[in-house]
Structures are given as structure tokens and as C-alpha cells.
Amino acid sequence: MKHLGTGLAAFVVAMAGMCVAEPGFPLREPEIKTWTELNDKGKEVHFMTIDGIMVHETDEAKQPQPPIVTPGTVSGCDQAGTAPSDAIVLFDGTEASMKNWTDRQGGPTKWVLVDGALESVKKAGYLQSKDAFGSCQLHVEWASPAHVMGSSQGRGNSGVFLMGTYEVQVLDSFENKTYPDGQAGALYGRKKPLVNASKKPGEWQTYDIIFHRPLFNEDGTLERKATFTVLHNGVLVQDHVFLSGGTGWNGPHCATEYKAHADALPITLQDHGNPVRYRNIWVRPLED
């Protein structure tokens, strides 16, 4: 193939990507205006507004103070932490919070409550939240079995699915090699984690996920890709990644593509035949 100039090459790449929006962070660029005025001494004074609000505005009618949120507590090895005051608590270790979950048909789940944790049992099927969510901040803690069995994808395998569709892989990846885009912290089949931040089998691990849902046009075509930021045990493993497509299995060397869906869907935890445990699950809905 002949060498393409920079502009033409960029055009070809854009066409190959179907011109799907990949805005920078934040997802919407602010509107910024600047100007200068003379003060009463004839000196120039610079002004700037961001989305119509003056920089360093003190009038709370124009620039309200942020809502106050009481932070939750950090989890320990044997004790789960608590959620922020504005979070929706999906599971807090109690029998009552198990009622926030169903099987994929909306019926009672076969997952069990063990020592304050949700545990997948063989052939229990996927677990999904009763409530539906779109863009959100999700906190979830998980532990693979302390007794190690199997290797690669057969060891502590599960997954956290945003909108029941887009998977952050759960796997015992401590001294356990597998394909990189299928290890713990991966966006399954689409993006390997920046680093492997896995703890030892049986130890509690955390995912903090910032997710912005994909947007679809009325005709079902993709308008904006989903984005993921993921911290695994406090370590950044996905840095505002634009998800290039779906994360479903489509054969040993292929992932599914985007398919239009509702604006809000349940959060789902995968039963992959391994007794993986979950605790301290909470979510904070975000604007699109």
C-alpha cells in the first residue's frame, strides 16, 4: 500500500471507524468565552465564563455549592466498608439486600448468602439487579476461592456486567496466566488492563468503575461509544477507555459488536461455574 499523507490517513481511519464520536474527557466540551474590559483606572481586566458562569463566581444563585456527600468507610480484610451517603446500596451483606437481586428471568436467585457475601453456586445462573442503570459509578468487592483449582480461564472466573452487557472480567489472575484481554480488570475481549493488580486467591478485591453508557441514534446506529475507567484494588487499570465494541463471546478470537439497547439495564454478575463471592456493592448514577 502506498504511503498516505497525514490528513488522508486520518480520513481513512475515521471512515473505518464510521465516524463514531469519541469526545475527549469530559464527554461534553465546556463552552468558554473570554473578554477584557477597562476598569475605572483604565487598566485591562480579563474575564472568562465557562458554560455561562463566571470563573470564581461567588453568587450562589448563579453557581450553587456542590451537594454534600458523606463518604463511606474503607473495607478491611474481614469487614466490608460502607457506601457514600448518596449511593444506592445493592448489597450490604444482609438477607434484606439479597432482595435487590434476581435471576435473569426476574425470579428468585439461587446464589447464596455466605458470611455476609453473595456466592455463586454451580448452575445458579447469572445474578442481576432489580433496578436498571445507565451511566454510573459502581463499587463492587469480590473474592476468588481460596482453594485454587484450575488454571487460565478456569480459575475464579466471573464478571461484572454494566447494563448486563459490558463486562469487566473477574478472574483469579494472581500468578495465573491467560490471554491478557481476559484477565482480571480487562474489558473482556476488548481491552487488557494497564497492569495486573490482583491479590492472592481468597483475599477481597475491589473494583471502582466509572462507566458512561453508549448512545444510539433512533435508527439503532451507534452515536457515541461507551467509556470505562476502572480501578482494581485502588490501581488504575482502565484509563477512560472508549469501548470499541461489545464484550460478548463470539468465538475464540472474536468479540461481539455494539447492538442498540435501552438507556438503562440491570447490573449483572456472572456465574461461570466457580464459587466467586461478592460484597459491598453500591452504585451512584451519573449524567450521560
Side-chain angles (χ1 to χ4, degrees), residues 13-58:
V13 171
M15 291 300 291
M18 300 178 63
C19 299
V20 174
E22 288 194 1
F25 184 83
L27 294 178
R28 184 188 64 79
E29 290 292 335
E31 181 183 352
I32 298 176
K33 295 181 179 180
T34 61
W35 70 95
T36 60
E37 295 180 8
L38 296 178
N39 63 15
D40 54 6
K41 295 182 180 180
K43 184 178 180 180
E44 283 191 347
V45 179
H46 300 284
F47 293 88
M48 177 185 291
T49 60
I50 302 175
D51 289 334
I53 299 173
M54 194 79 71
V55 171
H56 305 317
E57 180 63 70
T58 57

Side-chain angles (χ1 to χ4, degrees), residues 73-147:
T73 59
V74 178
S75 296
C77 295
D78 301 317
Q79 180 67 41
T82 58
S85 58
D86 66 341
I88 298 169
V89 177
L90 297 179
F91 180 71
D92 62 4
T94 63
E95 186 78 37
S97 64
M98 285 193 70
K99 296 178 181 178
N100 295 327
W101 301 87
T102 70
D103 65 15
R104 276 231 156 136
Q105 287 70 47
T109 178
K110 295 180 181 178
W111 287 46
V112 295
L113 183 64
V114 180
D115 297 329
L118 281 166
E119 183 173 300
S120 172
V121 296
K122 195 170 184 178
K123 296 184 179 181
Y126 284 47
L127 183 74
Q128 70 177 30
S129 62
K130 283 185 177 179
D131 292 336
F133 302 95
S135 301
C136 65
Q137 174 188 352
L138 175 65
H139 176 91
V140 58
E141 300 176 17
W142 58 273
S144 61
H147 178 60

